[in-house]
Amino acid sequence: MRRALTACSTAAAAVLVLPGVAEAHGLVQRQQLPIPEWLFAWAAAAVLVISFFALAVLWPEPRLERERWRPAPAGRAFASPVVQSVCGLIGVLLLVVTLLAGYLGAGTALDNWAPTFLLITFWVGLVFASILFGGLYRAFSPFRAIGRALPSLNRPYPERLGRWPAAAGLLIFTWIELVSGWGETPATLVTAALGYTVLTLAAQCYWGVETWTRRGEAFAVYFDMFARMSVFETRDGVLGLRRPLSGLPQLDRAAGTVAFVCVMIGTVTFDGLSQGQLWKDLSADVVDLLDGLGIGALTASKIAATFGLLLGVGIVAGFYRLGIEGARSVGGGLSFSKLEFGFVHSLIPIAAVYVAAHYLTFLVFEGQAVFYLASDPFGQGWNLFGTVNWGIDYGLFPQKDTWYVQVAVVVIGHVAALMLAHDRALSLYRDTRLAVRSQYWMLGVMVGFTSLALWLLAQAG
Amino acid sequence: MHRVLPLLLLALIAAGCGSGSDAAQRDPVQNVPSENGVREGVKAAATPDEAAFPAAGGKTLQQLADTMTAGPSLAVASSVFTTPGQTRMAFGMIAADGTPIYGPTAIYVAPTPGDQAVGPFVAPADVLLTDPRYRSKQAATTQDPFVAVYAAEVEFPARGKYAVLATTKTSDGKLVGATGQVDVSSKKADPIPEVGSKAPKVHTETLASAGGDVTKIDTRDPPSDMHKVDFADVVGKKPVALLFATPQLCQSRVCGPVTDIELQMQSKYGDRMDFIHQEVYNNNQINDGLREPLREFHLPTEPWLFVVNAKGVITARLEGSIGVHQFEEAVKSGL
């Protein structure tokens, strides 16, 4: 002991835990990739080009346009009125709990059920669930469940409105999620949800539940788009099976559909862009400019982000328009409108993979919060399911593999989009060679979307 | 539907009569892993009894050390010590294999090993682990074995260099000792705002001042929401807990989780106190120097916690490693 004391040899150990002065205690940096990101983009583009030519040679006639739906075993039981009612009740219960949690629960988003449930479990989780299991939202929709119990005027729905109300609703929701900052204030967030509920119920009463669900209810239209990729579909009270993606070509024509799909992709595009340095620098300039005009910095940043959100949608819309104009230029006598709507369903797998690539880790990690919040949704010290002391397990998904999963998902989604576009071109153009030529432009669009997706992911780091 | 409504009504009533979020937060010791008796060790270490340690009784530090078993290392986790009065010394006891040792612990000090020792000053262990939900990604994924830190309130007789002897009573009743050395300065020479003084009215960074980009002012992953108010706007009007910390650049379990602890405290006391997290380095780069609020507080190290009451008077000041219990006591002092 004498030697230890005299030498004070443990001084070195003290350094281990001294408060930080001027040294890093460890920086978590982006996982170094074995090959550069640009090479991934080239490889992804190459996969698309090869797929394109493989389709041209090996896929000479439309296959996905034909419906091949067949009842699933016990399909009638799964879609029975009893099951539908129970699902609807669960949906209503979740809505009520969420609204109450927003007002009664903790004032911080971290401890409140409402923001996690609405912005992660519902908004992101249901995309994955819809792709896998089909029309889950339709079954669990609280608006549809309540609407069916309410009287309806069933007034004729103006066709020119089409899916425009849904597109506007989706844009507003994404603005709330990405720009407003209301997600940090549970009471404000659920007030918006309550407002949407009232509007939806009123619209359902006026135009009818099914009409509004198909056209104006933003979430119903949104999740229905993804559900069309699933192998499951319910028809006339029977759950059935179909080919993967084959629900997409059946998308009915309605005004505003292209806008809706552009909002789907464009808003995620902005979310990815906003996490990168390019947008941060651009936004800082806009904020400085507006701040100089006397607008507060926080308001200025929201104005800049609103502009960015619209820009994201605009870029996607412009990109798609370019592809359609190009396809029209090859001949065939098809109108812009016919082509524009004809190929829009092929963008839905792209929307799906944009969501998957951008939000998968968000769902896997932050989404775990719903388990401990469910045990005490109103912040009353309850432990209803014994999960209140759970945390987030960051080891659930290996972070080093995230980039590879993202790239794989993006490529698969874009190849699926190419297949759908090719299949549709074969049915639109009588001449196979003309159909393939029209798809050169769609190939350009797909390669562009793929590169954009990978660039955004790389930007977000 | 008519069966669900009464249930919801019950939920509403229960919500109205509930006990608040306090009940959801548990004894921090419960967050310590139970493997290898660590939790039991921390539990015993949390309430040390002064009588369990030999009285200094005129012995030198060396004589006291000779009655103990050598082996562990002392790792001091705070750096500013002043006299006269009590000053907080945070530290860890580390075994030869690098694992922390937990048990009832106390420290003795003397100018040199041959001088008469002062002590024992008991050092309760304080848990560094928050409730799981408040852990950042950095804290949740660290491999750091520290789960608690010792802190003693020490009275140094005069300024100067001091030898320190820390001793822990192990589960088999033996006292193990470790030594170290600290510099003690005069309280008058300490430029950092002290307890009882008015807090400097510094401007801390907010989401607004960062142009809405929270990553500029918060290295926590995910970023916290403790950037809503500017310290200068609220000090003297409402109790405030101001934490200077950089979760990303100091993410060992010794200083990394303080922001998580603050988040947990905000959840419990957020309706009565404003909680502010101020990052440490300009541009979140160590080489770019300290941010302005730290310079105005004359802080040479991080992390630091200042709790200020509604009158703008500092009621607690903690440096370095801070556990959940001490953090909470500091918060309570400002309410």
Side-chain angles (χ1 to χ4, degrees):
Chain A
M1 194 65 205
R2 178 181 294 273
R3 267 182 301 160
L5 189 60
T6 310
C8 283
S9 59
T10 51
V15 175
L16 286 174
V17 286
L18 269 175
V21 181
E23 61 174 312
H25 292 253
L27 286 165
V28 175
Q29 291 177 331
R30 187 197 172 100
Q31 184 80 20
Q32 287 296 312
L33 297 167
I35 52 175
E37 284 157 354
W38 60 264
L39 203 53
F40 279 97
W42 277 102
V47 170
L48 287 190
V49 172
I50 292 165
S51 304
F52 175 82
F53 287 107
L55 286 170
V57 174
L58 304 171
W59 195 309
E61 56 187 52
R63 294 180 187 179
L64 295 171
E65 301 283 326
R66 289 197 300 271
E67 290 192 83
R68 287 196 180 170
W69 181 90
R70 58 189 163 77
R76 193 168 291 281
F78 275 115
S80 66
V82 175
V83 172
Q84 294 276 322
S85 300
V86 170
C87 290
L89 268 178
I90 292 171
V92 173
L93 184 67
L94 285 171
L95 175 67
V96 173
V97 167
T98 303
L99 294 176
L100 288 177
Y103 293 120
L104 300 174
T108 55
L110 186 70
D111 289 310
N112 196 296
W113 157 272
T116 298
F117 179 74
L118 284 175
L119 302 179
I120 306 179
T121 313
F122 169 72
W123 176 242
V124 180
L126 209 46
V127 171
F128 290 90
S130 299
I131 294 167
L132 289 173
F133 303 113
L136 279 186
Y137 178 75
R138 185 177 164 79
F140 286 92
S141 167
F143 311 124
R144 194 164 159 264
I146 298 169
R148 281 183 297 180
L150 295 175
S152 174
L153 297 172
N154 281 320
R155 294 286 168 83
Y157 184 78
E159 273 312 302
R160 61 190 162 79
L161 277 183
R163 292 189 171 97
W164 281 107
L170 188 67
L171 187 63
I172 291 168
F173 178 81
T174 50
W175 182 86
I176 289 171
E177 186 207 5
L178 303 175
V179 179
S180 71
W182 297 355
E184 295 297 321
T185 321
T188 311
L189 185 67
V190 299
T191 300
L194 188 60
Y196 183 78
T197 303
V198 171
L199 277 177
T200 301
L201 295 180
Q204 287 181 162
C205 284
Y206 194 75
W207 284 303
V209 174
E210 292 307 321
T211 303
W212 188 249
T213 299
R214 277 187 292 109
R215 291 288 189 259
E217 210 269 87
F219 301 112
V221 175
Y222 181 70
F223 293 119
D224 175 63
M225 296 284 183
F226 295 118
R228 289 171 181 274
M229 295 170 67
S230 169
V231 294
F232 297 105
E233 185 195 3
T234 301
R235 285 187 187 178
D236 303 323
V238 181
L239 180 71
L241 296 164
R242 64 187 175 195
R243 284 176 170 174
L245 304 177
S246 65
L248 290 171
Q250 318 308 324
L251 182 66
D252 58 319
R253 186 171 179 155
T257 305
V258 174
F260 187 89
V261 176
C262 289
V263 172
M264 287 170 79
I265 302 175
T267 50
V268 183
T269 300
F270 167 69
D271 196 17
L273 182 69
S274 66
Q275 290 164 41
Q277 200 53 46
L278 178 71
W279 174 258
K280 284 177 180 173
D281 293 343
L282 190 65
S283 173
D285 291 341
V286 175
V287 169
D288 286 345
L289 180 74
L290 295 173
D291 202 20
L293 297 174
I295 297 170
L298 204 53
T299 307
S301 73
K302 287 178 184 176
I303 292 171
T306 305
F307 167 73
L309 193 70
L310 295 172
L311 183 71
V313 176
I315 287 172
V316 172
F319 216 25
Y320 182 61
R321 187 180 178 99
L322 187 71
I324 296 302
E325 290 286 9
R328 199 157 75 109
S329 70
V330 303
L334 298 171
S335 69
F336 177 83
S337 163
K338 191 174 177 78
L339 287 172
E340 184 191 36
F341 184 78
F343 288 106
V344 72
H345 68 290
S346 69
L347 298 186
I348 293 167
I350 295 175
V353 297
Y354 266 52
V355 170
H358 283 277
Y359 300 132
L360 177 65
T361 52
F362 184 53
L363 178 68
V364 170
F365 296 132
E366 275 83 351
Q368 292 175 49
V370 81
F371 296 113
Y372 56 73
L373 293 168
S375 265
D376 187 17
F378 307 133
Q380 299 300 310
W382 300 344
N383 194 0
L384 297 175
F385 306 111
T387 56
V388 82
N389 288 313
W390 286 18
I392 292 175
D393 179 1
Y394 287 99
L396 201 63
F397 185 78
Q399 195 169 1
K400 63 183 172 57
D401 296 338
T402 305
W403 171 255
Y404 301 105
V405 172
Q406 287 172 325
V407 172
V409 161
V410 165
V411 171
I412 290 169
H414 285 77
V415 170
L418 264 186
M419 281 167 50
L420 286 161
H422 175 80
D423 200 67
R424 176 56 55 89
L426 290 173
S427 67
L428 279 178
Y429 294 93
R430 305 250 167 116
D431 181 345
T432 308
R433 281 198 312 174
L434 208 57
V436 172
R437 276 178 60 199
S438 76
Q439 291 308 290
Y440 288 148
W441 287 90
M442 290 309 286
L443 175 65
V445 170
M446 299 307 170
V447 170
F449 275 127
T450 305
S451 305
L452 178 65
L454 295 179
W455 178 73
L456 290 171
L457 291 169
Q459 280 273 304
Chain B
M1 192 66 194
H2 56 274
R3 285 189 180 180
V4 176
L5 280 173
L7 279 175
L8 292 172
L9 198 62
L10 272 176
L12 263 175
I13 294 164
C17 305
S19 56
S21 59
D22 297 21
Q25 291 174 4
R26 53 183 178 164
D27 178 3
V29 176
Q30 294 303 311
N31 291 326
V32 174
S34 57
E35 289 86 11
N36 304 320
V38 177
R39 186 185 292 169
E40 286 309 308
V42 172
K43 202 171 178 180
T47 51
D49 180 3
E50 193 179 321
F53 302 97
K59 291 177 192 158
T60 66
L61 204 63
Q62 187 64 65
Q63 285 169 331
L64 282 169
D66 287 341
T67 65
M68 298 163 191
T69 306
S73 303
L74 171 65
V76 182
S78 53
S79 66
V80 175
F81 309 104
T82 59
T83 187
Q86 290 188 327
T87 189
R88 177 177 177 269
M89 183 184 291
F91 62 95
M93 292 285 275
I94 304 169
D97 63 357
T99 57
I101 299 171
Y102 295 113
T105 296
I107 61 173
Y108 303 84
V109 297
T112 69
D115 288 324
Q116 252 183 24
V118 182
F121 300 100
V122 290
D126 200 356
V127 175
L128 293 166
L129 300 173
T130 62
D131 290 349
R133 69 171 66 182
Y134 301 105
R135 288 177 204 166
S136 65
K137 193 171 176 181
Q138 291 106 331
T141 55
T142 182
Q143 298 300 312
D144 196 324
F146 280 93
V147 294
V149 63
Y150 296 106
E153 293 296 333
V154 183
E155 281 194 67
F156 291 98
R159 66 188 177 89
K161 282 195 187 303
Y162 277 82
V164 179
L165 169 65
T167 181
T168 297
K169 196 166 205 169
T170 57
S171 55
D172 55 9
K174 277 198 304 191
L175 285 174
V176 294
T179 60
Q181 198 175 46
V182 297
D183 282 319
V184 179
S185 61
S186 157
K187 208 167 205 171
K188 282 182 187 164
D190 178 18
I192 302 165
E194 61 182 315
V195 172
S197 66
K198 281 269 186 187
K201 203 171 181 178
V202 303
H203 286 283
T204 55
E205 288 153 317
T206 62
L207 199 56
S209 71
D213 184 359
V214 72
T215 59
K216 282 183 180 172
I217 55 169
D218 195 342
T219 60
R220 187 178 183 274
D221 183 10
S224 77
D225 62 347
M226 297 183 292
H227 312 283
K228 290 173 188 158
V229 294
D230 178 352
F231 182 74
D233 291 342
V234 291
V235 68
K237 298 172 186 164
K238 191 180 175 186
V240 194
L242 172 59
L243 177 70
F244 298 93
T246 180
Q248 179 69 20
L249 303 177
C250 179
Q251 55 180 286
S252 72
R253 224 177 238 173
V254 176
C255 64
V258 285
T259 317
D260 298 352
I261 298 174
E262 189 182 29
L263 210 52
Q264 182 168 322
M265 292 304 134
Q266 180 186 241
S267 165
K268 196 168 179 179
Y269 300 101
D271 53 343
R272 288 182 278 165
M273 179 178 272
D274 277 322
F275 287 81
I276 297 173
H277 164 218
Q278 170 63 53
E279 270 294 330
V280 172
Y281 299 104
N282 283 318
N283 306 314
N284 298 326
Q285 299 291 326
I286 289 167
N287 294 333
D288 288 359
L290 295 174
R291 293 182 188 242
E292 187 57 30
L294 280 96
R295 287 208 295 269
E296 291 184 47
F297 265 77
H298 308 288
L299 301 180
T301 57
E302 57 87 18
W304 279 88
L305 169 70
F306 292 87
V307 176
V308 184
N309 67 16
K311 292 177 181 166
V313 176
I314 296 172
T315 59
R317 145 188 141 160
L318 299 175
E319 182 221 1
S321 191
I322 309 166
V324 175
H325 177 71
Q326 277 215 314
F327 204 122
E328 183 159 10
E329 289 304 308
V331 167
K332 284 178 181 171
S333 74
L335 293 174

